Amino acid sequence: MPVSGEAAGAGPDEHARTGLPDAGPEAAEAAPRDATVLHSLDGGVSWITLNRPEAMNAVTWDQRERIIALLADASADPGVRAVVLTATGRGFCAGADLRGAPAPARERVPGDVARTIRLGAQRLIAAVLDCEKPVIAAVNGTAAGIGAHLAFACDLVLAADTATFIEVFVRRGLVPDGGGAYLLPRLVGPQRAKELMFFGDALTAADAERLGLVNRTVPGGELEALAEEWAGRLAAGPTRALALTKQLVNASLDGDRATAFAAEAAAQEINMTTRDANEGVASFVERRSPEYRGY
């Protein structure tokens, strides 16, 4: 079963970044962190659900830290074999809401914004990319700004047919942050990435699937069931092999062929020490279905 949560990017101006209606000052104070970042573990799947529907799940400082911690826990916990990141209400994540952040102790000086982004939005995206378990985004509604990048950082993206993705930064005269200029060219190529970022137009779920940003688009009522199905398949798989595969693919565009080949060989060397790898080979020889245990 899914639960709820929120993640935040860091930047100069919260809702000015999203281009969506301001939820009002009460939104950041409406519920304690544990109520806005709900979490459950079911069948080896860690469900993290953003749960501030009144704010379109714009994420606060506290919620961002909670998600980062839950992803780190998922990496370390052998009982977790897949992660689903989803949300309640009409929005998946409408961007960053920084009103829950600690108040600055002094006037802003050069370097503060870069540090805030580095320790905020970029840490959040890195936590998804570096999670040792496969992460599925189940995008139920609007994903804007850092919310879109949060989805794109996931290993697999499922979307309700009513969901939209918006690179809103340009609407407010901002540079994309939260890893956008890193993620998008790798997913759709530089020309498409520039189109999305230069114009800031809303992208429908169907168009996002056509471009390769989304794996599957389904009616909203079927999204949770599909996420459960995919996560269940991942949770029944060879967890360490999946972790090493994720690492190889994520690094594949950052180096040359020799580096990629060396990393591949090293990953296979490590993987062949696992119980699951030996089980996979043995099950093939014995002509039976493998029973993977995640180690």
Side-chain angles (χ1 to χ4, degrees):
M1 291 289 294
V3 253
S4 283
E6 296 196 24
D13 189 14
E14 67 207 41
H15 281 285
R17 167 186 315 194
T18 67
L20 299 172
D22 192 326
E26 70 282 359
E29 303 172 359
R33 183 181 69 175
D34 286 348
T36 59
V37 184
L38 307 181
H39 174 251
S40 69
L41 181 61
D42 183 21
V45 180
S46 173
W47 288 84
I48 304 172
T49 307
L50 316 186
N51 188 40
R52 286 179 69 225
E54 74 282 0
M56 294 285 285
N57 292 306
V59 295
T60 66
W61 185 91
D62 277 344
Q63 292 159 346
R64 181 194 73 216
E65 295 305 305
R66 172 72 168 153
I67 289 179
I68 291 172
L70 288 171
L71 290 168
D73 290 346
S75 289
D77 186 351
V80 175
R81 298 176 65 182
V83 177
V84 176
L85 184 59
T86 189
T88 59
R90 295 182 299 111
F92 174 74
C93 177
D97 185 342
L98 302 183
R99 284 169 295 198
R106 52 167 173 75
E107 183 179 352
R108 190 170 72 192
V109 298
D112 283 351
V113 171
R115 186 181 312 105
T116 299
I117 291 171
R118 186 170 63 250
L119 298 179
Q122 292 175 353
R123 277 181 59 243
L124 173 64
I125 299 306
V128 178
L129 293 171
D130 295 339
C131 182
E132 296 177 28
K133 309 299 166 61
V135 182
I136 296 174
V139 182
N140 56 298
T142 300
I146 185 64
H149 300 167
L150 181 62
F152 298 152
C154 292
D155 302 301
L156 300 168
V157 182
L158 308 176
D161 55 9
T162 54
T164 56
F165 300 85
I166 313 172
E167 288 293 320
V168 297
F169 301 91
V170 70
R171 297 185 183 183
R172 300 304 182 195
L174 300 175
V175 173
D177 64 30
Y182 174 86
L183 294 166
L184 277 169
R186 285 163 170 76
L187 293 168
V188 299
Q191 299 300 99
R192 289 291 192 184
K194 290 172 187 175
E195 178 184 347
L196 294 171
M197 291 179 168
F198 285 2
F199 295 114
D201 294 333
L203 190 67
T204 66
D207 284 340
E209 182 177 6
R210 177 177 55 83
L211 290 176
L213 291 167
V214 167
N215 294 87
R216 297 285 188 280
T217 299
V218 295
E222 300 176 14
L223 181 63
E224 182 180 328
L226 182 59
E228 288 181 349
E229 178 192 341
W230 281 32
R233 291 177 64 187
L234 291 170
T239 306
R240 298 315 304 166
L242 292 175
L244 290 164
T245 301
K246 171 176 178 171
Q247 186 179 53
L248 287 173
V249 173
N250 285 351
S252 64
L253 297 177
D254 297 332
D256 57 22
R257 184 181 68 184
T259 301
F261 277 21
E264 176 187 278
Q268 194 67 288
E269 176 75 24
I270 294 169
N271 187 62
M272 288 305 296
T273 67
T274 66
R275 183 253 177 216
D276 281 351
N278 288 281
E279 165 65 6
V281 173
S283 65
F284 174 77
V285 172
E286 297 166 12
R287 298 185 179 182
R288 59 176 174 80
S289 297
E291 295 182 7
Y292 296 123
R293 298 182 184 177
Y295 56 87

